[in-house]
Amino acid sequence: NAGVTQTPKFRVLKTGQSMTLLCAQDMNHEYMYWYRQDPGMGLRLIHYSVGEGTTAKGEVPDGYNVSRLKKQNFLLGLESAAPSQTSVYFCASSYGGAEIETQYFGPGTRLLVL
Amino acid sequence: KQEVTQIPAALSVPEGENLVLNCSFTDSAIYNLQWFRQDPGKGLTSLLLIQSSQREQTSGRLNASLDKSSGRSTLYIAASQPGDSATYLCAVSGNQFYFGTGTSLTVIP
């Protein structure tokens, strides 16, 4: 049981390049989330999904897209990376919604955009 | 918009000391409050979850309290150990989780 895994662990991009971050969970959770963590800002929700085939915007969705084609995977895409997207990205999952359930976090992906 | 504040931002204590971490939030309409631990370069690990109808939760040397009406929570750590050194984050849930910026704790042997 690996829990929540994230690929890659670290990536350097040039401005304007694109990339996809992969999150996978093996706990059969319905809900999945993408957060970014910046110094002094705390974790902020980018996008989330309440089930396979669904996605919704969080607090800071601009510049990102997501897809949930399979229940166990949640992909975060950056179409044209900007230096402001330099951050640590965390994926999380939960069986139910935030009103009743804790979230399980992956180890994070460190992204540097030059 | 929910705002979550944690004070102090950093705390250093000698081993064996009891300590309290503070969390405050602006909107009392929450479902629950959670305390997480984050080690350097790692993800978050849930420590305690308090439902909005509860006043406190305990796990080992950790005790978390919730006063929803005043928008405050505390995390009490008894007999601190060097292994407790980490960043502690609180999060409150409405339609989503809102996180504080954390308190970085260092326990000095």
Side-chain angles (χ1 to χ4, degrees):
Chain A
N1 190 334
V4 180
T5 58
Q6 293 183 233
T7 308
K9 289 184 170 53
F10 177 70
R11 184 75 182 268
V12 179
L13 287 180
K14 294 181 180 179
T15 297
Q17 287 184 320
S18 63
M19 78 164 295
T20 299
L21 283 67
L22 171 63
C23 175
Q25 54 93 4
D26 61 3
M27 296 174 281
N28 201 34
H29 285 167
E30 292 292 336
Y31 290 65
M32 296 187 75
Y33 311 81
W34 276 107
Y35 293 91
R36 60 178 289 174
Q37 186 177 36
D38 302 291
M41 298 289 290
L43 275 81
R44 292 180 292 169
L45 183 65
I46 305 171
H47 286 280
Y48 65 100
S49 168
V50 301
E52 181 178 321
T54 74
T55 62
K57 294 180 180 179
E59 184 183 354
V60 289
D62 294 341
Y64 305 96
N65 57 76
V66 289
S67 64
R68 182 100 181 267
L69 299 179
K70 293 183 179 180
K71 185 177 183 179
Q72 63 268 33
N73 295 337
F74 195 28
L75 279 65
L76 178 71
L78 286 73
E79 289 187 349
S80 180
S84 61
Q85 294 178 304
T86 293
S87 187
V88 181
Y89 292 86
F90 287 100
C91 176
S93 71
S94 65
Y95 187 73
E99 67 273 16
I100 56 172
E101 289 285 341
T102 189
Q103 296 181 353
Y104 296 84
F105 282 80
T109 294
R110 295 181 180 276
L111 176 64
L112 175 62
V113 183
L114 301 175
Chain B
K1 178 179 173 291
Q2 179 76 267
E3 300 285 344
V4 182
T5 304
Q6 292 186 246
I7 295 174
L11 181 65
S12 183
V13 300
E15 181 177 1
E17 191 163 297
N18 302 325
L19 60 101
V20 174
L21 306 181
N22 297 293
C23 173
S24 61
F25 48 96
T26 55
D27 186 351
S28 63
I30 64 170
Y31 292 112
N32 60 55
L33 182 143
Q34 277 194 262
W35 284 93
F36 291 86
R37 169 182 173 140
Q38 185 176 26
D39 292 287
K42 299 291 179 66
L44 282 67
T45 301
S46 179
L47 297 172
L48 290 165
L49 184 151
I50 311 175
Q51 298 291 351
S52 62
S53 59
Q54 298 175 317
R55 297 283 293 183
E56 64 180 321
Q57 281 286 340
T58 297
S59 176
R61 295 183 293 109
L62 305 179
N63 175 277
S65 68
L66 173 63
D67 184 343
K68 201 172 73 161
S69 61
S70 68
R72 295 177 187 274
S73 175
T74 62
L75 178 66
Y76 174 83
I77 301 177
S80 59
Q81 303 171 358
D84 294 330
S85 297
T87 297
Y88 291 81
L89 298 100
C90 70
V92 297
S93 74
N95 58 334
Q96 65 175 72
F97 278 110
Y98 295 91
F99 286 82
T101 53
T103 294
S104 177
L105 172 66
T106 302
V107 181
I108 303 166

